[in-house]
Amino acid sequence: VAVPAVWRAQTGPDVAAACAGFLRPTGRPAQSYPCDCGCSHDIIRHSAEHIVAICQCDPWNCDDIRLTPEEATLWELSRARLGRAICRALDIDARESEVDLEGAAQIGAFSARALPVHLIIAPGSDEFHHAVAKLAARLSDGFILFAPTSRYLDGECQALLARARA
């Protein structure tokens, strides 16, 4: 969950447009906004249309940033939209199901075997390891796993996935 400027900075210029279809506003107002210098500005709402992000550095060294209501709103990734897009792109039967694991969901089933297809989006390696371990323990007859990065896929996770025939 972040303001659009953070999503753009994290995804890069090429990926930002692709991610646009997978992001949705939460309706919750942001309290801070990133500055180019690396600091974070406090958001002040004078009215619904007059929103300003103000530097809190000591000493102050950044100009105020005028924001639109959209720029001052928190946005989040729609895992459901992303999961459906993955299934469409790879000709996987879309079957959305929560799996009671933070950051993980079943997004589809593949082939006549109906092999479960899961998506894990974890904020850190501990959460990723936990989700992989739980899935591997629950689904010992194989499954397919997608994640947006291989950053957290270490030897331990690879061994768990191999034993689960994932």
Side-chain angles (χ1 to χ4, degrees):
V1 176
V3 294
V6 171
W7 283 105
R8 283 190 299 275
Q10 293 295 315
T11 59
D14 295 333
V15 182
C19 287
F22 305 118
L23 297 177
R24 63 180 177 209
T26 65
R28 297 190 322 259
Q31 302 302 313
S32 63
Y33 193 83
C35 179
D36 291 337
C37 78
C39 76
S40 184
H41 290 210
D42 284 348
I43 294 178
I44 307 297
R45 289 170 174 78
H46 298 286
S47 70
E49 298 297 321
H50 185 225
I51 305 168
V52 182
I54 299 173
C55 181
Q56 298 301 308
C57 296
D58 186 20
W60 171 88
N61 61 359
C62 304
D63 292 332
D64 293 348
I65 304 170
R66 286 212 46 146
L67 301 173
T68 66
E70 180 180 87
E71 293 170 318
T73 299
L74 294 172
W75 289 63
E76 67 185 353
L77 177 70
S78 170
R79 293 171 196 258
R81 285 185 197 163
L82 179 58
R84 286 190 299 270
I86 290 169
C87 289
R88 272 192 311 275
L90 300 174
D91 200 23
I92 295 170
D93 293 332
R95 294 186 189 170
E96 296 174 26
S97 176
E98 293 298 321
V99 291
D100 194 28
L101 291 172
E102 184 178 348
Q106 181 175 347
I107 61 170
F110 181 70
S111 80
R113 281 187 51 207
L115 196 63
V117 179
H118 285 75
L119 173 65
I120 297 178
I121 301 176
S125 62
D126 289 343
E127 295 87 354
F128 184 78
H129 284 210
H130 177 75
V132 168
K134 289 284 195 172
L135 284 175
R138 291 178 186 175
L139 303 169
S140 59
D141 197 25
F143 60 96
I144 296 171
L145 177 63
F146 286 98
T149 179
S150 62
R151 180 182 311 150
Y152 308 133
L153 185 64
D154 60 12
E156 181 181 343
C157 283
Q158 290 177 356
L160 288 167
L161 292 169
R163 279 195 294 277
R165 299 183 353 201

